[in-house]
Amino acid sequence: MVLEKLSVEGIRVAEINSEEPDFLGLLTECFVQARESLLHMSSGTVATLLYFENKIQIGTRQRLSRDDVEFIIARLNSLAAAFSGSRADLSEPAVHINGDSTEDYVYDNENRNRGQEVTFPLYLQERPLGVIYIESLDMERNLRLGKFIREFKTDFSSGITTLWNYYRRQKEQFQSLISATIEGVIFCTMALDIQFVNRSALRLLGGSVRTQWTGRPLSELNSPFLTEFLEEGIAGGLNQISRVAELPGNRVKLLGVHIELLKDSNFQEIGWMLVVRDITPNWHNERLQNALTTASHEITTPLSSISGVLDLLLKQEIGGLNDKQKRCLEIIQDDIDRLRRLLSETLDLARLQQSIRFEDRRKETSLALVADKVANLLEPLAQDKNIEIELEISKALPNLKLDRDRLQQVLFNLVENGLKYSRPNGKVKVAGRLDVDYVETTVADGGVGIPEAKQKRIFERFQQLQNSPDHHAQGHGLGLSIAREIVQDAGGKIWVESEVGKGSVFHFTIPV
Ligand code: ADP
């Protein structure tokens, strides 16, 4: 029987990079869906051939004979060859009928009449993706179908182009985000093949940026510890693994590796994400800090004995001194005092950072009691300069959520500064005020003041303005940074209001 043919110009979707396996997979799904819909629109046989999967899917509402199936396969093969030239390998396409393999399909209806066929190819750019083939007995219906497909194809291709643009934009945004992160990021499949690796990961692991890594086994990145950690996670059935790897080489290099199992929205495991970070600087910092702490301790002991001996000399208990000798020893004693203060502040800071990191010692502390203690401790300095320390703190204030030693340290540093940066004969006032869920403490002096431009910077480490009226009272620029660290750690704020020549008011808040 002679077939009447109605061939429709294919759907052509330009601008799509046909090397995108994810998108092609999505598109194939779309075509399969389209074929299903066509099957319901036409009572005829519908078949598709998708080249890149080399599969023939026949959907039919009729009973097919073995001849029918062979005929369709031959037709699709010749169409496919015509569309794709030599690019399609159609030697043994897998054939499915209504989802079953041909072996499971029971053939009957040996004498079916052949109808009219409509075929339309699907192209991605110039690459043929597949052919949709419809054979139907109903000529009228097929003409309508042909018309429908002709109209539909413009919408269809522009729809796919829009989808493609969206997909590409999302992918590019995601990739540029991941590429720009300082941390190394690798995505790999469950079979441990690389899907994506950013530049930071290549830099950290020493992989070449020129190599095309997608699709290669993770082990090729030459970082055996990654596979080792992953295998450990897989063996233990873990979803997350965090480990540290030490890289061989002259200088110690430590990498923190965090691995996470990725699942899709149906909780299917789809791969692994590995985040790699260089943690060597932290490690060096910690070592440096430990070394500093140890050195400070080591220096404190001989300094104490030097200071004791100096005391004896100055009190002339060992022998007499002339004025010049006495003056020289006093200068030494002054410097030793400064050195001891610097060491004790360095140790405070180190202790503080360690304890902030490792423990939360927040207790309840009475501001009034601590302020009394600080005033007592600083009384000698206040008397030296004839400055009054005035406390205006109600005993009824609720306790502050802060460790007592730390509160004392904050207050001590602020009141001591108030005394240091004031001329003789003045007042330093400490006041406390409750405001709903925190207490605001103020330490006010009538001293030299701080220029506005410097008011934020003085809370940074080693920031000094050289504005002390008393050269010997100058500190080391650590007191306020220690105070800020304590206050912020307790969940509060610290700031200053000041006017040059008139004085300063330091404020800090601590939750109650
Ligand atoms: P220092 O040990 O130098 O006092 P701080 O961190 O306590 O270090 O203070 C940093 C700098 O801020 C001081 O050197 C000083 O210039 C300035 N400063 C701090 N408190 C006052 C104050 N009450 N009045 C004027 N200047 C102050």
Side-chain angles (χ1 to χ4, degrees), residues 24-58:
L24 287 187
L26 278 174
L27 213 51
T28 311
E29 279 288 309
C30 285
F31 290 148
V32 170
Q33 293 289 331
R35 184 184 61 79
E36 290 285 317
S37 319
L38 289 172
L39 178 62
H40 293 291
M41 281 171 61
S42 142
S43 58
T45 311
V46 179
T48 52
L49 174 76
L50 297 168
Y51 293 153
F52 70 91
E53 286 189 334
N54 203 27
K55 252 186 219 160
I56 292 178
Q57 302 267 6
I58 299 174

Side-chain angles (χ1 to χ4, degrees), residues 331-349:
I331 293 174
I332 298 177
Q333 194 180 37
D334 251 12
D335 281 347
I336 290 210
D337 280 350
R338 275 167 63 81
L339 206 54
R340 287 174 77 182
R341 277 206 306 276
L342 172 64
L343 287 173
S344 107
E345 283 172 357
T346 312
L347 286 172
D348 279 345
L349 200 63

Side-chain angles (χ1 to χ4, degrees), residues 345 413-414 417-422 445 447-450 458-460 462-468 473-481 498 503-504 506:
E345 283 172 357
N413 292 359
L414 295 182
N417 280 352
L419 297 171
K420 275 196 315 194
Y421 300 102
S422 295
D445 65 57
V448 292
I450 304 155
I458 52 168
F459 291 97
E460 286 160 24
F462 304 113
Q463 287 295 331
Q464 294 182 288
L465 310 180
Q466 309 295 347
N467 55 350
S468 168
Q474 197 74 26
H476 307 97
L478 288 171
L480 288 180
S481 69
S498 180
S504 315
F506 281 83

Side-chain angles (χ1 to χ4, degrees), residues 40-43 136 138-146:
H40 293 291
M41 281 171 61
S42 142
S43 58
S136 158
D138 182 344
M139 291 248 276
E140 193 44 37
R141 188 178 284 225
N142 262 10
L143 281 172
R144 282 209 308 277
L145 194 63

Side-chain angles (χ1 to χ4, degrees), residues 54-337:
N54 203 27
K55 252 186 219 160
I56 292 178
Q57 302 267 6
I58 299 174
T60 175
R61 288 162 75 186
Q62 302 209 7
R63 297 187 153 190
L64 299 183
S65 66
R66 199 174 291 272
D67 273 0
D68 277 330
V69 174
E70 267 160 26
F71 176 79
I72 291 170
I73 294 173
R75 283 293 297 136
L76 281 172
N77 269 339
S78 67
L79 284 166
F83 289 129
S84 68
S86 56
R87 287 185 62 176
D89 173 17
L90 303 168
S91 41
E92 272 183 55
V95 182
H96 287 91
I97 304 174
N98 290 345
D100 290 332
S101 74
T102 40
E103 287 95 76
D104 300 333
Y105 186 82
V106 186
Y107 300 99
D108 57 7
N109 192 10
E110 289 301 327
N111 302 310
R112 189 179 66 82
N113 282 334
R114 296 236 181 275
Q116 186 197 46
E117 63 177 25
V118 180
T119 58
F120 61 102
L122 307 160
Y123 292 97
L124 274 189
Q125 289 175 318
E126 291 312 307
R127 170 181 165 162
L129 188 67
V131 181
I132 289 190
Y133 165 96
I134 303 154
E135 185 206 319
S136 158
L137 292 170
D138 182 344
M139 291 248 276
E140 193 44 37
R141 188 178 284 225
N142 262 10
L143 281 172
R144 282 209 308 277
L145 194 63
K147 189 165 171 284
F148 166 77
I149 290 168
R150 253 192 295 272
E151 285 163 4
F152 165 78
K153 73 179 194 298
T154 328
D155 287 352
F156 193 72
S157 31
S158 78
I160 289 180
T161 310
T162 311
L163 197 66
W164 163 252
N165 286 335
Y166 178 75
Y167 170 88
R168 203 189 43 197
R169 238 190 349 266
Q170 293 283 320
K171 190 159 171 165
E172 279 170 3
Q173 273 172 6
F174 173 73
Q175 287 195 344
S176 54
L177 190 78
I178 303 263
S179 301
T181 52
I182 312 164
E183 274 152 3
V185 181
I186 305 168
F187 290 108
C188 69
T189 61
M190 295 305 288
L192 308 193
D193 290 330
I194 298 172
Q195 276 181 313
F196 175 82
V197 50
N198 72 354
R199 276 174 171 262
S200 304
L202 293 175
R203 188 174 41 77
L204 288 169
L205 302 169
S208 161
V209 285
R210 276 185 288 278
T211 309
Q212 174 54 258
W213 289 101
T214 307
R216 290 178 180 245
L218 187 68
S219 52
E220 282 190 20
L221 262 176
N222 215 5
S223 304
F225 55 89
L226 291 182
T227 1
E228 221 170 85
F229 295 157
L230 264 169
E231 277 161 5
E232 183 192 331
I234 294 166
L238 304 174
N239 286 346
Q240 279 188 5
I241 314 135
S242 290
R243 292 282 178 276
V244 174
E246 190 176 334
L247 299 196
N250 291 343
R251 293 198 50 168
V252 179
K253 193 168 173 193
L254 295 177
L255 290 188
V257 183
H258 179 80
I259 300 177
E260 204 146 339
L261 179 62
L262 300 177
K263 296 187 179 171
D264 66 10
S265 51
N266 297 321
F267 303 104
Q268 290 293 319
E269 297 172 352
I270 49 175
W272 297 93
M273 177 179 74
L274 298 91
V275 180
V276 187
R277 183 183 310 162
D278 186 359
I279 55 168
T280 325
N282 290 358
W283 182 77
H284 278 307
N285 272 351
E286 219 156 278
R287 278 190 33 145
L288 201 66
Q289 201 162 43
N290 287 343
L292 201 65
T293 312
T294 317
S296 302
H297 272 301
E298 300 279 324
I299 301 169
T300 310
T301 323
L303 269 189
S304 303
S305 70
I306 294 173
S307 170
V309 175
L310 268 179
D311 238 19
L312 288 179
L313 284 172
L314 276 169
K315 284 182 187 150
Q316 308 199 22
E317 286 178 15
I318 304 175
L321 294 173
N322 64 31
D323 277 357
K324 264 194 180 160
Q325 289 168 329
K326 207 169 157 207
R327 185 73 208 109
C328 285
L329 289 181
E330 275 168 0
I331 293 174
I332 298 177
Q333 194 180 37
D334 251 12
D335 281 347
I336 290 210
D337 280 350

